[in-house]
Amino acid sequence: MYNRNMIILMGLAGSGKSTQGQMLAEETGRVWLSAGQVLRDTPDEAVHELQRQGELVPDTITIPLMGQAMAEVFASGKDAVVDGYPRTTDQAEWIAENVADKIEAVIRIIVPKDELIHRMMLRGRADDQSLEAITERFRIVEQNIYSVCQILQAKGVKIKDIDGLGTIEEVKMRINQAITEAKNE
């Protein structure tokens, strides 16, 4: 379907996916494509309410929005850093069927939950102010992440885990190392 390449960053909310994704995109000339941002930018208020409650937006909305966003990036002749997608098995199956052969690597950023909650409360986004909503987001993502990774690995996608603690620069170095390792395997 597409003829461009992408790197996918995964991790629980607050793991630094967006910060690292934006830096990686800027350094490599790729487009940063955040599922959360794509959903926040949609004019659909029902989507925004689901996000505030910590609920996942239904795949019937998320998959077409992300598919369209990816198509626009690749049509522009760019590669992508995808942040926070796929999160469900249906999303992973869509990726596996449509773009798995274009994924250079999936990098999972691992951070302890107590640190994630601290980071999220500090950043001040509206959807981060309820501990219940944060906990629900963690539960949903953790419930799906194993299956998502299995689907992608079955298509030959390289998945690398990195430690997300430390300075932004330290995490960035770990991500770059993981990408290099995936390319050399």
Side-chain angles (χ1 to χ4, degrees), residues 83-115:
D83 160 3
Y85 186 86
R87 286 189 180 172
T88 69
T89 56
D90 285 345
Q91 292 171 11
E93 287 170 2
W94 185 90
I95 289 270
E97 291 170 19
N98 293 281
V99 295
D101 60 329
K102 304 303 177 200
I103 300 171
E104 293 173 56
V106 172
I107 310 298
R108 290 190 297 197
I109 303 171
I110 310 298
V111 179
K113 285 184 194 167
D114 58 342
E115 174 63 18

Side-chain angles (χ1 to χ4, degrees), residues 11 25 40 57 60 79 91 101 114 119 124 137 146 172:
R40 282 188 291 279
V57 175
T60 55
D79 293 339
Q91 292 171 11
D101 60 329
D114 58 342
R119 290 178 183 183
R137 284 162 64 191
Y146 180 76
K172 179 178 126 185

Side-chain angles (χ1 to χ4, degrees), residues 80-179:
V81 174
V82 179
D83 160 3
Y85 186 86
R87 286 189 180 172
T88 69
T89 56
D90 285 345
Q91 292 171 11
E93 287 170 2
W94 185 90
I95 289 270
E97 291 170 19
N98 293 281
V99 295
D101 60 329
K102 304 303 177 200
I103 300 171
E104 293 173 56
V106 172
I107 310 298
R108 290 190 297 197
I109 303 171
I110 310 298
V111 179
K113 285 184 194 167
D114 58 342
E115 174 63 18
L116 294 173
I117 292 168
H118 175 72
R119 290 178 183 183
M120 292 172 72
M121 295 299 218
L122 286 178
R123 72 184 181 186
R125 265 190 1 216
D127 54 340
D128 291 341
Q129 297 310 301
S130 161
L131 185 56
E132 293 78 22
I134 291 170
T135 303
E136 179 63 9
R137 284 162 64 191
F138 287 172
R139 186 192 66 73
I140 291 169
V141 173
E142 286 179 313
Q143 176 181 324
N144 293 320
I145 198 76
Y146 180 76
S147 298
V148 164
C149 289
Q150 276 192 316
I151 291 166
L152 296 177
Q153 283 178 315
K155 285 291 192 170
V157 174
K158 307 271 192 291
I159 299 177
K160 298 288 188 180
D161 290 344
I162 63 121
D163 179 359
L165 289 176
T167 67
I168 290 172
E169 274 302 311
E170 289 169 338
V171 175
K172 179 178 126 185
M173 287 176 23
R174 290 183 202 120
I175 289 172
N176 288 335
Q177 179 63 36
I179 292 168

Side-chain angles (χ1 to χ4, degrees), residues 9-20:
L9 298 180
M10 287 183 171
L12 293 174
S15 64
K17 298 182 304 291
S18 295
T19 299
Q20 294 295 333

